[in-house]
Structure formats: structure tokens, C-alpha cells
Amino acid sequence: MNLAIDQGNSSTKLGFFDKGKLIATYKLFFLDQQKLNELCKRHSPGKIIVSSVTQETKILEQFFSAAKTRFIIFDQNTPLPFINQYKTPETLGKDRLAAIAGAQAHYPESTLLIIDAGTAITFDLVVGNTFTGGNISPGLQMRFTALHTQTKQLPKVEPGQSEFWGKTTEEAIRSGVQNGIIMELDSYIDKTRKQYPDVKTIITGGDADFFVTYTKNIIFVHPNLVLHGLNRILEYNA
């Protein structure tokens, strides 16, 4: 049994894998040793990988060291199961690397466009076994917040159903932000398909389900892509 831990700014996701199959996931807003001990007793992981955007992994390191369980802290020095052509690998987010590994686990040796629609929206291109590069764009909530905080008059708007042309300021903001992202996604997919006709487009992240219903292109939704990628990286380093 493997355990993949994805520690974010506001929560920690845990995924337990048995022979490559994700059998259980948990989302913890407060990472305490009692809850961690309860889950580990329930599933008995033999190998563990920890990825953290906060770099605050002391609690996890102390817990697994005391339990004498094999674990890896995923960082820029961890060997990857693919070729990375990024010129500044030390600045590349671990969640992006894990999503790439997860996408390859689902679609090996394929050309992949991986979209992570979270706080930021990332676009990453993988050709065969090589990560060739990617782009970063503001996410849904970030755009709504920026319009409100960077102006004196515009209100804070939440996502929702909207007509293409807004008839109030609130409708105009909602439609402008949401349709702007939808057009952005479709444009990335179309442009990538012109160069790589057989590309598979995968979307993950907190806003994936929201946007997949609006895009004109057929894409695959994988909500636990990062956990799958962490497990693949763990197996690669086992």
C-alpha cells in the first residue's frame, strides 16, 4: 500500500494506492498526528511520498520517522519518470510536475495538454516522455478578486450561470471573466491540436468541473491527477 500526500496552503489531500489503484482519498483542513495515525492504521501504507507547497513538512517527517515508515519528501532533487526541459526546474511547481506524472500514468507515451484550473490556471505540454514547457494564467477567483480590489467601483462577483452579453455590471463581470477563461481554454486546445493532432487534453483542479461543461472540445477530467502522479513518482523512486 502506498500513501501520497499533497499538502496545500489550506488543506492536505491524502490518497491511498493499492497496486496502482486509488482506493481511498481524504481531505484534511487540520493536519494532526491523531488523525494521521488513525488513517495509517486503517490502511497500513508501506511507502509514502509527501509533496508540500508550504515547505512545512516537520509534522509529517516526525510522524513517519517515529513510525519507521519509508517516506520521500518530493522536491526539486527527486528523480522524475519523464524528461524535464524546463530551463528553471527549481521554480517549477511540484503540483505541476505531479500532474504531468499523473497524466502520463493514465496515457503513457501520448502527447498531452494538461490544464490545472485552480488558484492559477496552468497549461503544460508533454510530448512522448518529455515535458516541453507550459504557461501560467490567473484562475477564476483570482480574476474576480482582481477586478474588485484593483478598481474603486466594481463589485466582488461569484461564478455562476450567465448570458454571453451582460446587462448589468455584475452580469458583465461574470460573463467577461468566465467566457474569457473558456475562450482561453478552447484557444489553447485548438492551437495545440494544430501542431499535435493526436493530443489528449486533460483537466484537473478545483474549477475543472465548472469549465469542462462549457468548452467545445472533448477533454478528460481527472480530479485526483496530482495524487496519481505522486504515486507514480513514489513507485519510480522505490
Side-chain angles (χ1 to χ4, degrees), residues 76 84-93 96-97 131:
Q76 67 270 19
N84 184 3
Q85 290 187 338
Y86 213 66
K87 291 182 179 179
T88 56
E90 69 281 358
T91 68
L92 184 57
R96 291 174 67 188
L97 290 170
F131 169 49

